[in-house]
């Protein structure tokens, strides 16, 4: 395939990537571009989508998705999903974001990406397009309605032209037995649709000759009803000024054997102007878009294709076939033009393709055409031709056109050339430069900018230099950027002041300029910009800069502010290594701008500078605060710290935090000792803030040492609320007392929690403040109430006692009362005191204190007043109850009527005094445990029983009825005898009964229930209690159950009977059911529980109901009494249990009895099972006539399943009747096989058309040697590739080889013949009929599976056939090796030559050479001539040298001499020396194209050769290698004077020339002496010749030489004199010219050079001055 003009590639095999073959169809597999293949797969775990990235090593990504269709974006990792036909969602799988979502009103039947941003959608009635990346939530936009011609069509494609003005929707449909195509062409601008016949369509564009813009065309391919294919190319949207495009209509060829083929995809390459048409059967057609000419047709796959898309940016086509191959086709750039020239012989088409697509191969044509037009003077067309060929677009062509002078009125050929190129595309480097020069000279920069923006020019450094020479740096910058000339881009940006763009540009392109030099230049122009730029560099740590040098650039020019700004940004990380720079920036600013230094220090930016030095500078500058920050020596600190008038108080206070304790104490003393009035406030603030650090006691001592009570008080006031030290608080209280701050003392003792109450109490007692309130507070807080009352009572501070009780803490009134009672205070005083704090006294504590002293009655007035005040305090009622109980003042009434007392407390109080009162209290409060205990202890069971029944608490019952309770029997007796008779409410009884049951008091429960039910009571007819009585008897005493059933009639039988059954009281259960006339339940008990079928039959006969007979029949059936059961069912006339009856009867073989039941059942039921059972019964009894009669009538039997059962039971005759009736030909065929009716079986198999049936019938026919019938079956099997192995195995196993071959030969003509058939037949031929293999392969090699046949041929030793297959499988290596290894049967020289050159393995060439050397030496040269381009020549030569067969390949060596290989040359020389062919050897050596060999080695070999001719060659070689002495020695010995003279001249050595002259003089060879003077004239010294002549009397011989020397000397003198005259005249003329406008070198620099700003200056060499 090396001569075809396409590149055909298999990109991948989807099945090898794990894609299921069942998913390889147009519904599941989508292909939007050559980037992604999207496959939707279904499996047991759900639906998945597999995405194959063709451009990333076929990486496969799988996602779980429930969508019914998915397509990928042509280039991005974006997937579009469709669910339920209407819901559309688009996701970016890379960023995991949803881009769009929308739900349409009708299902989408087809969708496709129209462009990178737009999605096209087709529904049943409309056509839409959708902008996916517009950033909105907008849905699809309707274009138009779907054309009626597409109503019944399957939509297969949707395309649009790039401007989205034209759209085309394509569909296919079955019409008249063919696949017809319909296209709806829609114009959006005109809102018009047109229906066109076509299978494929595409919008494209092509630039025509002379057109200013591309021409848009619409391409449509079709196969009409007559089977003829055609391609139409039509222009749309014609542009004025463009030449018209004539419509093209060309044929699309379809082979005769592809009658059902049709176009499936059309792709167009705008770049190449080539159209690709792909058909369903895999044929690819290439057409020229401009002329419509057919370029190429071939088949790329034998399997059908179902989808295709554009490949390689639209220059090719990619497709997928049914086997999962992803194939690409693209025009072969290096082969298309030769193909058109050689195969199509179409020179104009070749030129047009080459010009349009830049394809190589037409260079000679363009060159010839160009030269012809130039010679004819047709410069305009010559320029156009040159512009049309990439190979002619060179500097040489430009120079030729530039030097052509146009005729007057005509456009310059060069401009015509440039104009054509600008219309076609982009100019190359040389063209851009040549065009820019005249344009810029004419100052037409806007035109230049326009071309540059449109990418019409190729940017380069030289082009940028030219632009910059016209003082347009911005425009030059644009060129430099496009040309990636980084150094000049940076210089231009700096020159333009665009410093902010320098770093981003350098990062983008990866360029590192010299930033220090750049900043130095910027400082001179703009210090602020320079600082800004330098600072910006710091944010790029990857940029290496010397910050110190850059800072010095600023500081050296006194730019302190800018340098400081830069260094501050550089030093922001505060690194230790940067300490010297920190010191430097601070020093400079302290000297020149102290406020800046102050700000820097204030921001605490630095920490590694020289602090002592900076501190001294700060003190000198008056920055005392900063000085203190840097001083560590106490002496320096004390000297500066006293300047409090200029130091901020807040800072000074915080500064003490930097000092240690000793330093702080010293500084505080210094401040207090220096000016106490001025510094006291600061000292207090410092003491307050650093109290914890210095220590409060130390600070107190400092204040006390300086007798500063005020300072001590204010200091302690700030810490007293926070200090944990009791002594500090005490000191504060002392200081406050001294300062007469009673309120402050009161506050502290009230709020502070750390002082020593005892110590403070004693101090306050001693100090005797006028106001005793602080003492009261201390005693109250520390519970010194008793001491306080004694102190106040003793000192007669009665008022403060009332103040304490009434104002300070009324809650301590109980303790005050207790104290007053202890001092025997008057009761009236106490009563009045209590009444003064009414409602504020804790009653409980008060009662407790008074009760301890047995004085409760004293509280009675207070309590009564409390109640009158509306108090509900429980303790008040408790106390009153106690008082009433002790005084016996109607306690029962109080306890029963009052609900506010604590029943537990009062009950406990009463237990020892009166148990009944305790019972009342406990009963009132529901205190169960206490009540039970008190009633048990005092044997009050009657009261307990009443309480339990009244409470009706199940938990309480459980507690008293537990077995451990020794009082349970007495309590139960009281419940039964006393409690129950008193009740009328059933609820307590129910709870009581339940409690008895839960506690397993069954006998007691029976007693209880008999008391309630059998004796007269309101509950005699209670259904629940009757049932409970029987239930209890069932569990406790079953002998009573029958008696209870007889006596009672209000119980629930449906509850009691099952309980009897559960407890195996079956007779009692039967009695219950029979008593309440529940006949069915009674029968159930008889047949299931009592298990007496005879009693059941008697019971059924007694009442004779259908239900009873049915129940009895079921029981009999379960007991396997089948005839009796069927008789009972018949009597019941109820066939509901037919399934079980049929199953058991059939299993028992009772078909005769079953027929009667089935007849009865069919009277009321129409069930398939019944009818089926009847048929089965007939079949079992061999009543085939009854079966035929039955199936001929009305029935609902599943005849097929019944037939299957009969078939399994081998009742084939009956099965035949059923299968015939339901037309189940597949099963009927199988049945007929067993009945040995093979012809009928084949007929039925044909009707069934089922593979398994064909297999079965085929197998049966083979076994019975019915080969004609077997072949009929086999023809229907071999069309299914999966059945082939088994079929072949069957025939081969039975040894029917000829019949098998005949079967496959017959099948080759089938329409559905496939590759597997051809392959299998080839394998069979190889096994059983090898003489037919080659003919078969030649006819059908393209339709066989070559690898399988290769294996078969190799096993059968069919080597010519094997080689044939290797060639067609393009396994040239194996083909060549096989021919070598099996040369005795397979070698053919002509074929071998064609094969071996195609083998990619180079080692095969050398094996072939060795093979030919051994077996076919006469053909060696012919083989080598073919292999020459691919051979390693030295290796080949060594092979033959080693085997001593070099003469065999002499013609080959001669043919490859032009390659100038040293080994070849040496071998050839050896051969010539051996043959003594000196003429050929000299010719070879003198040929400069063969100069690669070891000349000295060859010269040494020839130096002593017997033949003088070889010695002469040796001298020549020495001369070539400049070994002149060796060469001269040989030539002297052989007296080869002409060669000797020539060698001396070649040496150009004066020494050699003189020595040779001496030799000739000494030997008397005067003729050679004179000849040497002429040949080496330039290298011989004149004086040396004169000397030789004088010594040897050779004056006559050298006379011509002397004349020549004199002539040369005179000529040189004349030239010198003429030059002297010209210079004299020039000097004279120069003195007369005034010196005007001449620039001074010292001020203006070199003449003709101008300064262009900072940075780079043009050098004209393409490099800047940065290096």
């Amino acid at each position: 395939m090396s001569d075809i003009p396409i590149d055909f590639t298999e990109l991948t095999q989807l099945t090898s990537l794990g894609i299921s073959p069942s998913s390889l169809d147009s519904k599941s597999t989508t292909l939007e571009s050559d980037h992604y293949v999207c496959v939707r797969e279904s499996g047991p775990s759900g639906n998945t989508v597999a995405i194959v990235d063709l451009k990333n090593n076929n990486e496969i990504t799988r996602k779980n998705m429930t969508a019914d269709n998915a397509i990928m974006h042509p280039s991005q990792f974006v997937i579009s999903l469709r669910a339920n036909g209407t819901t559309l969602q688009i996701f970016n799988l890379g960023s995991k974001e949803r881009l769009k979502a929308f739900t349409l009103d009708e299902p989408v039947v087809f969708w496709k990406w129209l462009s990178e941003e737009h999605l096209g959608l087709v529904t049943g009635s409309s056509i839409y397009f959708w902008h996916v990346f517009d950033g909105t939530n907008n849905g699809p936009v309707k274009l138009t309605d779907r054309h009626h011609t597409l109503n019944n069509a399957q939509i297969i494609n949707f395309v649009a032209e790039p401007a989205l003005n034209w759209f085309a929707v394509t569909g296919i449909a079955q019409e008249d037995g063919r696949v017809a195509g319909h296209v709806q062409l829609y114009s959006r601008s005109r809102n018009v649709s047109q229906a066109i016949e076509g299978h494929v369509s595409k919008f494209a564009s092509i630039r025509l000759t002379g057109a200013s813009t591309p021409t848009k065309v619409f391409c449509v391919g079709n196969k009409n009803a007559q089977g003829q294919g055609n391609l139409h190319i039509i222009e749309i949207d014609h542009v004025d000024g463009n030449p018209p495009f004539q419509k093209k209509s060309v044929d699309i060829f379809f082979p005769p054997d592809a009658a059902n083929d049709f176009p499936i995809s059309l792709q167009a390459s705008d770049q190449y102007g080539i159209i690709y048409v792909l058909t369903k059967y895999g044929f690819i057609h290439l057409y020229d878009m401009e002329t419509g000419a057919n370029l190429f047709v071939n088949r790329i796959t034998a399997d059908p294709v179902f989808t295709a898309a554009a490949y390689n940016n639209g220059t090719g086509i990619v497709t997928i076939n049914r086997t999962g191959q992803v194939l690409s086709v693209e025009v072969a750039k290096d082969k298309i033009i030769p193909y058109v020239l050689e195969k199509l012989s179409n020179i104009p088409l070749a030129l047009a393709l080459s010009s349009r697509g830049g394809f190589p191969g037409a260079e000679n044509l363009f060159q010839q055409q160009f030269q012809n037009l130039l010679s004819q003077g047709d410069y305009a067309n010559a320029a156009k031709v040159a512009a049309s060929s990439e190979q002619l677009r060179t500097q040489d062509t430009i120079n030729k056109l530039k030097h052509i002078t146009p005729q007057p009125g005509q456009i310059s050929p060069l401009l015509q050339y440039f104009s054509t190129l600008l219309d076609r595309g982009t100019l190359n480097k040389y063209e851009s430069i040549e065009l820019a020069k005249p344009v810029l000279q004419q100052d037409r920069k806007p035109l230049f900018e326009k071309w540059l923006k449109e990418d019409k020019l190729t940017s380069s450094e030289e082009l940028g230099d030219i632009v910059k020479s016209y003082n347009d740096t911005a425009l030059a910058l644009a060129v430099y950027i496009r040309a990636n000339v980084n150094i000049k881009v940076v210089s231009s940006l700096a020159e333009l002041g665009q410093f902010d763009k320098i770093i981003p540009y350098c990062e983008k392109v990866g360029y590192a300029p010299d930033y220090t030099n750049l900043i130095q230049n910027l400082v001179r122009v703009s210090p602020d910009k320079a600082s800004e730029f330098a600072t910006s560099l710091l944010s790029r740590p990857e940029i290496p800069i010397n910050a110190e040098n850059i800072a010095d650039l600023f500081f050296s020019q006194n730019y302190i502010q800018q340098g400081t700004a830069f260094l501050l940004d550089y030093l922001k990380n505060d690194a230790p290594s940067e300490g010297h720079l920190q010191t430097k920036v601070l020093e400079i600013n302290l000297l020149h701008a102290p406020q800046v230094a102050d700000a820097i220090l204030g921001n605490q930016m630095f920490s590694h500078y020289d602090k002592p030095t900076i501190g001294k500078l700060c003190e000198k500058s008056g920055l005392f605060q900063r000085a203190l920050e840097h001083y560590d020596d106490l002496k320096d600190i004390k000297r500066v710290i006293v300047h409090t008038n200029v130091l901020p108080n807040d800072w000074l206070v915080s500064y003490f935090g930097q000092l240690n304790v000793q330093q702080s104490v010293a500084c505080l003393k210094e401040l207090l000792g220096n000016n106490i009035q001025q510094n006291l406030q600061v000292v207090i603030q410092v003491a307050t803030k650093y109290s914890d650090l210095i220590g409060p006691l130390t600070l107190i001592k400092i204040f006390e040492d300086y007798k500063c009570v005020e300072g001590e008080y204010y200091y302690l006031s700030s810490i007293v609320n926070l200090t944990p030290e009791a002594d500090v608080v005490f000191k504060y209280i002392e200081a406050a007392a001294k300062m007469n701050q009673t309120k402050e003392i009161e506050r502290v003792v009230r709020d502070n929690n750390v002082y020593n109450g005892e110590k403070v109490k004693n101090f306050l007692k001693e100090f005797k403040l006028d106001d005793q309130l602080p003492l009261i507070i201390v005693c109250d807080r520390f519970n010194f109430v008793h001491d306080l009352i004694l102190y106040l009572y003793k000192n007669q501070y009665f008022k403060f006692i009332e103040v304490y009780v009434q104002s300070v803490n009324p809650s301590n009134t109980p303790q005050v009362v207790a104290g007053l009672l202890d001092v025997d205070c008057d009761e009236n005083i106490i009563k009045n005191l209590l009444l003064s704090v009414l409602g504020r006294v804790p009653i409980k504590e008060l009662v407790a204190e008074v009760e301890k002293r047995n004085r409760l009655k004293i509280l009675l007035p207070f309590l009564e007043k409390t109640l009158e005040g509306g108090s509900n305090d429980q303790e008040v009622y408790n106390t009153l109850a106690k008082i009433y109980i002790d005084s016996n003042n109607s306690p029962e009434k109080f306890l029963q009527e009052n609900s506010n007392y604590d029943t537990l407390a009062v009950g406990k109080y009463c237990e020892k005094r009166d148990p009944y009162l305790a019972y009342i209290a406990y009963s009132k409060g529901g205190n169960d445990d206490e009540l039970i205990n008190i009633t048990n202890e005092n044997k009050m069971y009657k009261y307990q029983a009443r309480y339990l029944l009244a409470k009706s608490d199940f938990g309480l019952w459980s507690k008293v009825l537990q077995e451990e309770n020794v009082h349970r029997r007495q309590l139960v007796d009281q419940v039964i005898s006393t409690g129950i008779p008193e009740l009328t409410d059933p609820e307590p009884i129910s709870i009581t009964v339940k409690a008895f049951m839960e506690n397993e008091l069954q006998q007691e429960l029976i007693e209880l229930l008999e008391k309630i039910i059998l004796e007269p009571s309101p509950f005699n007819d209670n259904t629940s209690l009757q049932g409970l009585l029987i239930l209890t008897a069932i569990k406790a005493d079953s002998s009573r159950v029958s008696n209870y059933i007889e006596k009672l009639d209000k119980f629930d039988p449906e509850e009691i009977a099952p309980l009897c059954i559960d407890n195996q009281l079956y007779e009692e259960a039967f009695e219950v059911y029979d008593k309440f006339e529940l006949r069915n339940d009674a029968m159930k008990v008889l047949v299931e529980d009592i298990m007496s079928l005879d009693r059941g039959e008697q019971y059924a006969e007694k009442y004779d109901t259908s239900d009873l007979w049915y129940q009895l029949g079921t029981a009999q059936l379960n007991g396997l009494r089948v005839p009796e059961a069927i008789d009972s069912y018949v009597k019941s006339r109820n066939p509901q249990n037919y399934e079980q009856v049929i199953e058991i009867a059939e299993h028992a073989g009772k078909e005769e009895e079953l027929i009667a039941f089935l007849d009865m059942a069919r009277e009321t039921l129409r069930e398939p099972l019944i009818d089926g059972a009847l048929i089965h019964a007939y079949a079992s009894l061999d009543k085939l006539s009854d079966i035929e009669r039955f199936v001929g009538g009305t029935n609902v039997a599943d005849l097929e399943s019944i037939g299957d059962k009969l078939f399994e039971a081998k009742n084939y005759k009956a099965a035949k009747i059923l299968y015939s009736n339901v037309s189940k030909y597949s099963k009927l065929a199988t049945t007929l096989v067993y009945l040995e009716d093979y012809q009928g079986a084949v007929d039925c198999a044909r009707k069934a058309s089922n593979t398994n049936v064909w297999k079965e019938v085929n197998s049966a026919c083979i076994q019975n040697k019915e080969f004609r019938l077997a072949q009929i079956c086999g023809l229907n099997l071999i069309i299914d590739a999966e059945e082939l192995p088994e079929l072949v195995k069957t025939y081969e196993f039975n040894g029917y080889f000829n019949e098998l071959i005949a079967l496959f030969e017959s099948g080759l003509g089938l329409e559905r013949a496939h590759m597997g058939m051809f392959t299998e037949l080839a394998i069979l031929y190889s096994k059983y009929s090898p003489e037919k293999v080659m003919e078969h392969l030649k006819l059908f090699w393209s339709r066989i599976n070559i690898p399988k046949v290769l294996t078969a041929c190799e096993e059968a030793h069919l080597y010519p056939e094997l080689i044939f297959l290797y060639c067609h499988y393009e396994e040239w290596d194996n083909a060549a090796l096989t021919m070598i290894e099996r040369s005795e049967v397979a070698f053919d020289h002509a074929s071998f030559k064609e094969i071996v050159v195609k083998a990619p393995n180079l080692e095969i060439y050398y094996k072939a050479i060795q093979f030919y050397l051994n077996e076919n030496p006469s053909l060696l040269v012919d083989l080598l001539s073919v292999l020459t381009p691919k051979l390693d020549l030295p290796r080949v030569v060594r092979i033959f040298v080693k085997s001593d067969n070099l003469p065999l390949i002499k013609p080959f060596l001669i043919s490859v001499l032009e390659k100038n290989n040293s080994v070849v040359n040496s071998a050839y020389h050896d051969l010539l020396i051996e043959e003594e062919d000196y003429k050929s050897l000299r010719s070879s050596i003198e040929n400069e194209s063969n100069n690669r060999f070891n000349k000295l080695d060859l010269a040494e070999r020839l130096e002593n050769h017997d033949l003088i001719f070889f010695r002469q060659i040796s001298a020549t070689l020495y001369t070539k290698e400049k070994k002149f002495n060796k060469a001269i020695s040989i030539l002297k010995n052989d007296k080869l004077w002409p060669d000797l003279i020539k060698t001396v001249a070649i040496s150009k050595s004066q020494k050699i020339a003189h020595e040779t002259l001496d030799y000739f003089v000494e030997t008397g060879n005067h003729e050679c002496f004179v000849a040497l003077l002429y040949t080496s004239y330039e290298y011989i010294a004149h004086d040396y010749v004169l000397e030789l002549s004088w010594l040897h009397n050779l004056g006559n011989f050298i006379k011509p030489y002397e004349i020549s020397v004199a002539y040369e000397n005179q000529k040189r003198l004349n030239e010198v004199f003429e030059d002297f005259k010209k210079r004299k005249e020039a000097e004279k003329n120069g003195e007369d010219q005034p010196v005007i406008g001449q620039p001074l070198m010292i001020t203006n620099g070199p003449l003709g050079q101008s300064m262009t700003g900072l940075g780079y200056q043009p050098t004209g060499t393409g490099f800047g001055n940065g290096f």
Side-chain angles (χ1 to χ4, degrees), residues 1467-1522:
Y1468 180 59
H1469 295 162
D1470 292 344
L1471 201 56
L1472 294 178
I1473 293 170
E1474 185 177 349
E1475 295 175 354
E1476 295 186 350
D1477 186 356
Y1478 63 88
K1479 291 182 180 180
S1480 298
L1481 180 60
R1482 176 175 290 279
S1483 175
S1484 175
I1485 290 172
E1486 291 177 352
N1487 187 353
E1488 288 301 322
S1489 62
N1490 298 327
N1491 59 1
R1492 295 184 62 185
F1493 60 91
N1494 193 329
K1495 299 179 180 61
L1496 291 178
D1497 181 62
L1498 180 59
E1500 289 177 0
R1501 290 176 57 195
L1502 298 176
E1503 182 178 351
N1504 298 313
H1505 201 279
D1506 295 338
L1507 294 179
I1508 189 173
F1509 302 108
F1510 286 106
R1511 296 198 298 275
Q1512 186 180 20
I1513 293 173
S1514 174
T1516 302
L1517 290 172
Y1518 279 130
T1519 302
K1520 285 180 177 289
E1521 292 299 296
K1522 300 188 185 307

Side-chain angles (χ1 to χ4, degrees), residues 113-242:
W113 283 97
L114 303 177
S115 66
E116 288 287 324
E117 297 183 344
H118 292 86
L119 193 61
L121 309 133
V122 181
T123 66
S125 62
S126 305
I127 301 173
Y128 299 84
F129 79 111
W130 194 6
H131 194 314
V132 176
F133 299 97
D134 58 0
T136 68
N137 294 323
N138 297 337
V141 177
K142 181 177 178 180
L143 284 171
T144 185
D145 293 330
R146 181 166 159 176
H147 200 272
H148 66 84
T149 57
L150 296 176
N151 285 349
N152 298 320
Q154 174 192 347
I155 306 301
I156 61 171
N157 202 5
F158 188 2
V159 295
E161 58 103 9
L164 297 180
N165 187 36
W166 290 87
F167 301 85
V169 178
T170 306
I172 57 175
Q174 282 286 345
E175 296 179 6
D176 301 328
R178 70 182 185 94
V179 177
H182 299 282
V183 177
Q184 178 180 351
L185 179 63
Y186 173 71
S187 172
R188 188 179 175 195
S189 60
R190 302 172 191 166
N191 194 24
V192 174
S193 290
Q194 179 182 353
I196 302 173
E197 283 195 6
H199 291 80
V200 290
S201 61
K202 183 73 173 179
F203 295 96
S205 64
I206 183 171
R207 185 182 290 274
L208 302 176
T209 305
S212 58
T213 58
T215 297
K216 296 180 182 179
V217 295
F218 177 59
C219 310
V220 58
N222 181 45
K223 185 179 183 183
N224 58 27
Q226 291 74 35
Q228 298 174 346
N230 46 63
L231 172 67
H232 303 285
I233 309 170
I234 310 162
E235 182 180 10
I236 57 174
D237 291 341
H238 179 72
V239 178
D240 293 339
N242 275 7

Side-chain angles (χ1 to χ4, degrees), residues 69 205 242 260 385 400 405 433 437 448 496 553 622 679 858 888 903 914 951 1063 1096 1166 1248 1433 1436 1554 1625:
N69 191 256
S205 64
N242 275 7
N260 296 325
V385 170
K400 288 180 180 179
T405 304
I433 293 172
K437 291 177 180 177
F448 182 87
L496 293 171
L553 293 177
N679 299 331
I858 198 173
N888 198 21
T903 57
D914 189 344
K951 188 72 176 289
N1063 289 274
R1166 285 291 181 266
L1433 297 177
V1436 174
H1554 290 177
E1625 291 176 359

